[in-house]
Amino acid sequence: MMEVLRTWLFGLTAVSLLLALAEALVSQEGIRRVLRLAGGVLMIVVLLQPVVQIDLEDLSLSLEAYQQEVETLTEEYAQQQETQLSAGIEAELASYIWDKAQALGLDCQVSVTVESGEDGVPLPRSVTVTGTYSEELSQIIETDLGIPRDHQNWQEAS
């Protein structure tokens, strides 16, 4: 990349020096105008040389590769976001159930599992409560969180 830039700048400098020298050597005004016009065109060609040398096919392939990479990263980030959201919801629901159990005088550990609903929002699917079974807590879990009793797993603490 640096070599290309150096070559381009060298060419630009060389053309500028040659044009200045040629203009200094010409004394007739008519020839000087033609020389300036030709020199201007030559300078434009030298300035645009890097743009002309761009391989558009490679550029097109690069854009397709970048687009594919962006789509892949977007999917990965969406999956990470969903995973983090699910973990947060699981923790909050477990904390909610644990608080309710503490209010009822129960000592237990709670684990909640969520699954994505139809719209992609994680919803509580099941709960595992390690501790003494409580009909009242089971009712709260079913009523407040919508986790039916057949998705509630009660395990006695050891």
Side-chain angles (χ1 to χ4, degrees), residues 19-127:
L19 289 175
L21 179 65
E23 190 174 333
L25 294 175
V26 174
S27 60
Q28 293 179 349
E29 189 61 33
I31 295 175
R32 187 174 275 181
R33 285 184 183 169
V34 172
L35 183 62
R36 284 183 185 161
L37 177 65
V41 170
L42 185 59
M43 281 294 265
I44 290 173
V45 168
V46 171
L47 281 170
L48 295 178
Q49 183 182 9
V51 175
V52 173
Q53 291 178 347
I54 292 176
D55 187 1
L56 294 178
E57 187 173 314
D58 285 346
L59 183 61
S60 174
L61 292 175
S62 294
L63 289 176
E64 289 175 10
Y66 287 132
Q67 183 178 11
Q68 180 69 25
E69 187 174 341
V70 166
E71 289 174 5
T72 302
L73 288 174
T74 302
E75 290 173 11
E76 288 176 11
Y77 291 145
Q79 181 64 36
Q80 287 176 355
Q81 183 180 10
E82 183 178 331
T83 301
Q84 290 175 348
L85 180 62
S86 294
I89 290 173
E90 288 173 351
E92 287 294 322
L93 293 177
S95 177
Y96 176 81
I97 294 170
W98 186 83
D99 286 343
K100 293 295 182 180
Q102 292 297 304
L104 295 172
L106 302 172
D107 185 29
C108 63
Q109 294 178 350
V110 181
S111 174
V112 177
T113 304
V114 298
E115 289 181 358
S116 292
E118 293 177 13
D119 56 357
V121 176
L123 300 172
R125 172 77 175 134
S126 64
V127 62

Side-chain angles (χ1 to χ4, degrees), residues 96-102 104 106 108 110 129 132-143 149 152 154:
Y96 176 81
I97 294 170
W98 186 83
D99 286 343
K100 293 295 182 180
Q102 292 297 304
L104 295 172
L106 302 172
C108 63
V110 181
V129 180
T132 306
Y133 176 78
S134 167
E135 178 64 32
E136 198 173 355
L137 183 58
S138 179
Q139 180 65 37
I140 291 172
I141 293 171
E142 185 171 15
T143 305
R149 291 178 194 253
Q152 297 177 19
W154 292 82

